[in-house]
Amino acid sequence: MLKKLAIVAAVLLAFGATQAFATPAPFCWDNTDQVIKKLKRLDLNTEQLKDVFVYQEAHRDVMKRAHTEGLGCRVHENHEAQFVKQSVGVLTDEQFEKYTGRERNEEEVLIYDNYLLVKEVAAL
């Protein structure tokens, strides 16, 4: 009985290991879900949510590419900061103040203005 249990455990462990390594980044954390959870508390409109999910998908693509090309974790860890900047860049001034507790700095104003300009150009 103990022998059968050990064999089953070994098979399950081997299967789990192959499934973990089947993904390009099996042991990397993707903290984008926590950022999105915090942003959802701000009652984003549909357009803002769509844009945040597009940024999240782009971040996950960077994660996959970093590992399939052997670039390492540092690449996608650095890109996560870019994801946060882009995601916070879709917030209105009121939402931004609720999220951070302060007004936008010069760089954040430029990111938000750029976001609005891209939306206007796309609408044309």
Side-chain angles (χ1 to χ4, degrees):
M1 180 69 179
L2 189 58
K3 193 174 185 180
K4 288 181 183 179
L5 186 59
I7 291 172
V8 169
V11 168
L12 289 175
L13 183 63
F15 178 74
T18 58
Q19 291 303 311
F21 289 107
T23 60
F27 300 112
C28 291
W29 293 100
D30 183 11
N31 298 320
T32 58
D33 291 332
Q34 285 83 12
V35 173
I36 291 174
K37 189 183 293 185
K38 289 177 185 176
L39 291 175
K40 281 184 175 180
R41 292 183 197 147
L42 301 173
D43 296 324
L44 302 180
N45 63 34
T46 306
E47 190 71 23
Q48 289 172 313
L49 277 174
K50 278 194 224 177
D51 292 336
V52 170
F53 287 126
V54 167
Y55 298 146
Q56 183 184 37
E57 188 63 33
H59 174 70
R60 289 186 174 162
D61 289 343
V62 168
M63 271 183 87
K64 289 175 190 170
R65 193 192 65 166
H67 288 279
T68 56
E69 295 178 6
L71 301 174
C73 294
R74 183 64 58 199
V75 171
H76 66 79
E77 289 170 354
N78 290 340
H79 189 268
E80 189 170 321
Q82 182 68 24
F83 163 77
V84 172
K85 282 183 182 181
Q86 289 174 324
S87 298
V88 172
V90 305
L91 302 176
T92 63
D93 290 334
E94 295 81 25
Q95 290 170 331
F96 183 86
E97 285 187 34
K98 282 182 186 177
Y99 183 76
T100 62
R102 61 176 176 79
E103 292 184 6
R104 295 181 198 267
N105 64 28
E106 188 175 328
E107 179 185 2
E108 293 161 342
V109 169
L110 291 173
I111 291 171
Y112 182 65
D113 288 345
N114 187 39
Y115 168 75
L116 293 177
L117 286 172
V118 167
K119 290 295 172 191
E120 286 181 32
V121 169
L124 295 175

